[in-house]
């Protein structure tokens, strides 16, 4: 009897899906099954299948469950492949990077001669008198001294040339460019910058920090056609690397270009654009009002943080340090402004409800930013929550249901960008103040060649210290910092878990105590990045109700040797429920 019953049940269950359930299966747009779906949730849950309808994820579960329940217009048998949420690049200069794709690229140039050859090639296709611009040189990869205008004059006597260092903090100009900028012996250094000079007091062609504006400001802006072309190239790269969200340093004006792409259905990343911390509160608010009037879909294009700079970079020795660089006695870097002025600006903008994202590299710069954020919080607590302008908050959170009370003091989620060298006493302050440490692991492997001699054996322990930061429960979104580094999240993951360069050097990893697990690293590039832009309820995990931004990877990142992460790539990139990239197509 029991046996028969079992038999009947078996027969029924075999037939049912075909005979009965076929009619009742729910129609959806996309089903991925038979895979290893890393949801990137807190427990690193793994499922087999994910169902998508329209823009959103409607179910996760086993392949059998979802195949029984849904009939999808497109089904993909993953054949065991790894799926993760799409990468969210939490710190990128997307537009600048896009334009750099059209100009002279000095990335990976190994000698100043190689750089000259690339400039010379551009001279050939450029009319006399027209500007030649480029980016990406890194003197620490050459003879470790700054190049000069004479190097460029040799290959470009008739064109003004202006080439920005890989970190964006130093410019290299030829004589024609300096002449147009009217820089001579008598020109004073602008505040927060330096015109490097030779023994005779003549400008060498190297312009540091704000001094870059003297020449950079003369470069004619790119034409509309160039802007569109560059943006198309950059978006293509983003699709090929599985990037589905960017938090962008390009500034308010760029939203106009993004909007055009969005209207033409060509914007294949979600954009959280940043405004300029330097602008007056009046101007910032006016931009928010103007932006809101366009009624863009905020999950596709929105304004989030104000981006400001506290100091320069370690590579250029312009990072603001508490004590001089170990390899340059007497030089403690260049803060952009005094602590008092910085704090005043932070407090003023915090009070209006703006999220603030401050570039801070040196331990002094990080402390200055933390001091400012602490003062802002004190101010808010003293004045009560009403001190925050609720209208400003609504601007920030247009796409979420976050209310004033949800996050209390940490509501605004201020960020420190890079948080590169942090004094041991300050790690805990990130946690206490709820400050996000927005980090870019590829910088550590790019800088490791000289970071220790520049910082000394003690300070280097607090440098690029994402594991230590994480041990204080600090939120750590990951970014590429393109075009400072390649727009390649796989390189970020590899750097985060190995602390090695592409050649596997050094064995065991540089400062290996700071390595992360691959699961943590993926979550930093997805969920944590979403958190940093107030969007962790709509993306960053593979979960019902979230946007279907997904990557099917060529290899299982969670099991392969770290070196193999570098040769992993998307097989599919899915954005907003649609396949926007398929390998080989
Ligand atoms: Zn940057």
């Amino acid at each position: 009897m029991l046996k028969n019953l079992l038999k009947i049940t078996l027969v029924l269950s075999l037939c049912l899906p075909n005979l009965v359930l076929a009619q009742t299966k729910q129609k959806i747009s996309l089903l991925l099954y038979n895979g290893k779906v890393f949801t990137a949730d807190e427990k690193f849950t793994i499922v087999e299948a994910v169902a998508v309808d329209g823009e959103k994820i409607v179910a996760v579960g086993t392949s059998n469950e979802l195949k029984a329940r849904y009939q999808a217009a497109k089904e993909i048998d993953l054949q065991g492949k790894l799926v993760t949420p799409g990468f969210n690049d939490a710190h990128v200069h997307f537009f600048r990077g896009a334009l750099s794709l059209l100009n002279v690229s000095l990335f990976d140039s190994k000698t100043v001669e190689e750089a000259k050859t690339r400039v010379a090639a551009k001279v050939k296709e450029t009319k006399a008198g027209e500007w030649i611009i480029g980016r990406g040189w890194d003197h620490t990869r050459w003879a470790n001294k700054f190049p000069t205008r004479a190097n460029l004059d040799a290959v470009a006597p008739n064109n003004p040339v202006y080439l920005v260092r890989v970190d964006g903090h130093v410019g290299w100009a030829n004589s024609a460019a300096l002449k147009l900028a009217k820089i001579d012996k008598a020109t004073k250094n602008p505040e927060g910058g330096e015109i490097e000079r030779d023994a005779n007091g003549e400008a060498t062609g190297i312009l540091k920090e704000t001094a870059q504006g003297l020449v950079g400001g003369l470069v004619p802006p790119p034409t509309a056609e160039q802007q569109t072309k560059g943006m198309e190239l950059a978006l293509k790269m983003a699709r090929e690397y599985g990037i589905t969200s960017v938090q962008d340093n390009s500034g308010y004006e760029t939203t106009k270009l993004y909007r055009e792409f969005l209207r033409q259905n060509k914007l294949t990343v979600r954009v959280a654009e940043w405004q300029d911390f330097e602008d007056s509160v009046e101007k910032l608010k006016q931009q928010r009002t103007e932006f809101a009037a366009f009624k863009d879909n905020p999950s596709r294009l929105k304004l989030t943080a104000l981006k400001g700079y506290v100091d320069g970079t370690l590579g250029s020795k312009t990072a603001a340090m508490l004590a001089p660089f170990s390899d340059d006695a007497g030089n403690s870097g260049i803060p952009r402004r005094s602590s008092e002025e910085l704090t005043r600006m932070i407090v003023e903008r915090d009070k209006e409800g703006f999220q603030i994202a401050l570039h801070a590299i040196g331990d002094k710069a990080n402390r200055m930013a933390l001091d400012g954020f602490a003062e802002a919080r004190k101010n808010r607590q003293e004045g009560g929550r009403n001190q925050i302008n609720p209208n400003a908050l609504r601007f920030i959170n247009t796409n979420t249901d976050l209310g004033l009370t949800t996050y209390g003091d940490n509501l605004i989620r201020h960020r420190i960008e890079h948080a590169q060298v942090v004094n041991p006493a300050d790690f805990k302050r990130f946690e206490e103040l709820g400050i996000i440490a927005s980090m870019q692991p590829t910088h550590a492997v790019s800088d490791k060649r000289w970071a220790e001699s520049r910082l000394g054996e003690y300070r280097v322990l607090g440098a690029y210290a994402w594991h230590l930061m994480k041990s204080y429960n600090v939120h750590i979104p990951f970014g590429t910092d393109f075009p400072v580094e390649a727009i390649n999240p796989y390189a970020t993951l590899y750097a985060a878990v190995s602390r090695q360069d592409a050649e596997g050097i050094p064995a065991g990893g540089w400062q290996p105590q700071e390595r992360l697990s691959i699961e943590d690293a993926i979550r930093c590039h997805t969920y944590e990045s979403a958190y940093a832009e107030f969007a962790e309820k709509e993306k960053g995990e593979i979960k019902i109700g979230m946007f279907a931004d997904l990557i099917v990877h060529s290899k299982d990142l969670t099991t392969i040797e770290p070196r193999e992460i570098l040769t992993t790539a998307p097989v599919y990139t899915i954005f907003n429920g649609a396949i926007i990239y398929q390998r080989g197509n």
Side-chain angles (χ1 to χ4, degrees), residues 91 93 249 307 418 481:
H91 180 118
H93 304 258
N249 280 266
K307 169 71 185 295
H418 313 306
D481 208 4

Side-chain angles (χ1 to χ4, degrees), residues 29 141 152 166 275 348 368 396 535 541:
S29 51
R141 292 183 188 277
L152 294 174
V166 60
Q275 293 168 278
E348 186 186 27
M368 285 168 69
I396 292 170
E541 294 179 33

Side-chain angles (χ1 to χ4, degrees), residues 91-93 96 135 167 169 249 274 307 309 359 417-418 440 443 480-484:
H91 180 118
V92 64
H93 304 258
R96 196 204 289 163
R135 178 175 184 104
D167 61 9
H169 288 255
N249 280 266
W274 296 350
K307 169 71 185 295
Y309 287 87
H359 164 114
E417 300 304 311
H418 313 306
Q440 302 77 29
H443 290 334
T480 64
D481 208 4
F482 172 66
V484 179

Side-chain angles (χ1 to χ4, degrees), residues 276-294:
D276 190 348
F277 179 78
E278 303 289 329
D279 281 336
S280 70
V281 169
E282 255 340 282
K283 182 170 178 188
L284 294 167
K285 282 160 91 173
Q286 183 259 319
Q287 286 174 347
R288 295 262 165 163
T289 307
E290 181 184 279
F291 186 87
F294 286 104

Side-chain angles (χ1 to χ4, degrees), residues 497-556:
V497 304
S498 75
R499 309 270 299 189
Q500 292 171 323
D501 61 26
E503 281 73 47
I505 295 169
W510 181 67
Q511 303 293 343
Q513 72 280 4
E514 293 300 335
R515 290 174 301 178
L516 283 187
S517 73
I518 183 69
E519 288 84 1
D520 274 324
I522 294 171
R523 188 165 152 89
C524 285
H525 230 323
T526 54
Y527 171 85
E528 291 282 300
S529 292
Y531 176 89
E533 53 150 310
F534 299 91
E536 78 278 13
K537 287 183 180 163
E538 63 179 35
K539 62 185 179 186
E541 294 179 33
I542 299 178
K543 204 157 129 179
I544 294 174
M546 290 215 169
F547 285 114
D549 297 349
L550 306 164
I551 307 167
V552 180
H553 300 270
S554 61
K555 298 183 207 172
D556 183 351

Side-chain angles (χ1 to χ4, degrees), residues 116 119-124 129-132 149-163 173-177:
K116 282 165 68 179
V119 172
K122 194 76 177 178
V123 169
K124 272 195 189 144
E130 277 182 14
W131 281 84
I132 289 172
R149 62 190 160 102
N151 300 131
L152 294 174
D153 293 346
V155 290
N158 303 317
N159 298 83
V161 180
Y162 186 61
L163 306 165
N174 70 348
S175 296

Side-chain angles (χ1 to χ4, degrees), residues 355-356 370 373-374 377 380 407 409-416 427-437 472-475 531-532 534:
Q355 182 191 32
I356 298 168
L370 290 167
F373 289 140
R377 184 160 104 152
R380 253 188 283 145
Y407 291 92
D409 285 336
N410 295 339
L411 176 73
I412 294 181
R413 302 188 190 182
H414 294 314
R415 325 166 31 140
I416 292 184
F427 283 90
K428 195 160 180 44
R429 297 180 72 204
F430 277 81
E431 181 187 19
E432 285 166 357
L433 296 167
I435 304 304
I436 291 166
Y472 284 99
N473 297 312
V474 176
H475 285 282
Y531 176 89
F534 299 91

